Amino acid sequence: MSPLEISPEELARIIETKAPVLVLDIRSKQQYLEGHIKGAANAVCDSMQQKQVIMSKLPPHMKIILVDEDETIAKENATMMARFGFDAHYLKGGIKSWTSELVKSSQDTTISGDSLWDSLKKNEDVFLLDVREPSEFSEFKIPGAVNIPLSQLFSSGYESLIPKDKKVVTVCSHGNRSMVATFALAQKGIEATSLVGGMAMWNQVLNATSLKEGDVTIIQVEKVGKGCLSHIVGSNGEAVVIDPTHPASKYVEFAQKEGLRITKVIDTHQHADHVSAAKDLAHLVGAKLYLSKLEEYRMESEQVEDGTTISFGSKHLRAIHTPGHTQGSMSFSLDDMYIFSGDTLFVEGIGRPDLRDKAEEFAANLYETLHSKILKFPDSAKVFPTHHGEGVKPTSEGLFVTTIKDAKKLPLLDLDKAAFVSKVVSITTPRPMNYSMIIKINKGTIPVSEAQIPDLEMGPNRCSIRT
């Protein structure tokens, strides 16, 4: 008998005595859901990379028992893990040899970002368990999540923090630690699902909210985990998209639901915190791409300058040069009653002027932009920004929007120019992660693949300043 071999009778005794052991069912997800050993977690290991990720997160001194259909694959993997120093074993004869009752799972072992967002929107009973380290958790997180690092889940004492009447979803950076967390929870008899792709893919979830007023339709698209906002503006079946984010294909879906066809795509400026989807979306739908004439782009587009008009349906957008966040930033006005402000003015604050290393000069420009241009619109004009900060709540209609009247009450906007520049320059905020590379991508000087985008955009948006 191999020292790595565990008989069904021995495994049954181990489970009954609640000895510290980790039972990993390495069969397919569907087989696991249809029936597995009580307390076992599903760990599909189809590639060496998956195996290495899982092994890197497992406690090295805990007894691990692998279960498959007939022991063949489990024996092979247990032997490999033992060579790496793990106390690894396999169930003799596999699941076919198990005579005790099998447990059926009521839920999948993973959940996509879109499915999780649907559950949260419906106020379903979901408990978000973030298993990253506290330093990572403090940087950015899903609102309402509770932080218990993965290392602590393999010890005792945390069980009382996890409600028994809610669906438990584990979260980490990329979905690796959260999957291992489901193993630890299964050992304690707690069913959990892992967020696929972790926070990186959570940042790619898009949510659309529509506003219809007269013959104008505005669809605000929120990048839920990032706070990025973009807008599909429609009239008579035709639409312009302002500041789209990835994935570009979602904009086609959102527009079609409102009976709109995208014909024009605009970026208000060179974004620093997320990869623009403007070029890809324009190519996808055969639309014209519009970019600021005053910023350096290495791609073909229609050039926008102060006063440029962009027609769609029976309406047109008017470009307003609004320097400050960047030197070539453009905002857009529709009928002087809807202002698409880019990163110049937000619901809760103003655009930061320091991302191009000319903070004092750009802060002075920002003051003039705000007081001489944006705040000159009627008090009732609605302002649709391209971001919102953490903790900012949408209106009852689900929109992140303010009015000129409310914007005038924001801190910093009651200062004179000298005091404004001095104060704004003194406010130090960490720069967006990977911002220099993102600027180069958005400029068109270096390529990017869809697979790279989630990691490049990891972290909170940091394009605004507020006091």
Side-chain angles (χ1 to χ4, degrees), residues 1-29:
M1 178 176 175
S2 166
L4 303 184
E5 188 178 280
I6 297 287
S7 69
E9 295 76 20
E10 186 178 356
L11 178 54
R13 285 194 298 272
I14 290 171
I15 293 172
E16 186 178 352
T17 59
K18 298 184 178 180
V21 65
L22 196 54
V23 181
L24 298 183
D25 190 321
I26 61 173
R27 297 175 301 153
S28 72
K29 183 188 299 183

Side-chain angles (χ1 to χ4, degrees), residues 308-320:
T308 296
T309 58
I310 300 173
S311 300
F312 61 103
S314 62
K315 298 290 183 179
H316 65 266
L317 291 167
R318 176 171 60 87
I320 309 158

Side-chain angles (χ1 to χ4, degrees), residues 10 33 46 51 75 79 156 207 245 259 288 389 433 443:
E10 186 178 356
L33 293 173
D46 291 333
K51 295 173 186 177
K75 181 178 180 179
T79 303
S156 297
N207 179 65
T245 61
K288 285 186 177 181
M433 296 173 68
K443 187 181 292 188

Side-chain angles (χ1 to χ4, degrees), residues 117-188:
W117 176 239
D118 285 341
S119 293
L120 295 176
K121 281 197 298 183
K122 294 173 184 174
N123 292 317
E124 294 179 1
D125 285 334
V126 175
F127 180 78
L128 297 171
L129 177 59
D130 194 312
V131 300
R132 295 175 297 160
E133 292 302 307
S135 58
E136 298 172 274
F137 182 76
S138 65
E139 277 287 295
F140 72 114
K141 55 188 173 292
I142 301 176
V146 173
N147 183 219
I148 304 177
L150 177 62
S151 57
Q152 293 182 22
L153 293 183
F154 286 101
S155 59
S156 297
Y158 66 83
E159 294 90 339
S160 62
L161 300 175
I162 301 176
K164 303 296 188 293
D165 58 345
K166 292 187 177 184
K167 180 178 180 179
V168 178
V169 177
T170 56
V171 181
C172 67
S173 295
H174 294 89
N176 299 322
R177 281 175 286 177
S178 61
M179 179 56 73
V180 176
T182 66
F183 306 163
L185 293 171
Q187 181 191 5
K188 305 290 185 180

Side-chain angles (χ1 to χ4, degrees), residues 260-295:
L260 298 172
R261 179 173 61 91
I262 298 169
T263 59
K264 289 160 187 179
V265 181
I266 302 168
D267 258 352
T268 56
H269 64 287
Q270 276 180 11
H271 300 284
D273 75 315
H274 68 269
V275 177
S276 168
K279 179 182 176 182
D280 288 348
L281 178 58
H283 178 75
L284 178 65
V285 299
K288 285 186 177 181
L289 175 63
Y290 290 79
L291 301 172
S292 173
K293 182 180 180 180
L294 303 177
E295 296 195 321

Side-chain angles (χ1 to χ4, degrees), residues 154 375 384 458:
F154 286 101
L375 298 181
F384 294 87
M458 184 78 83

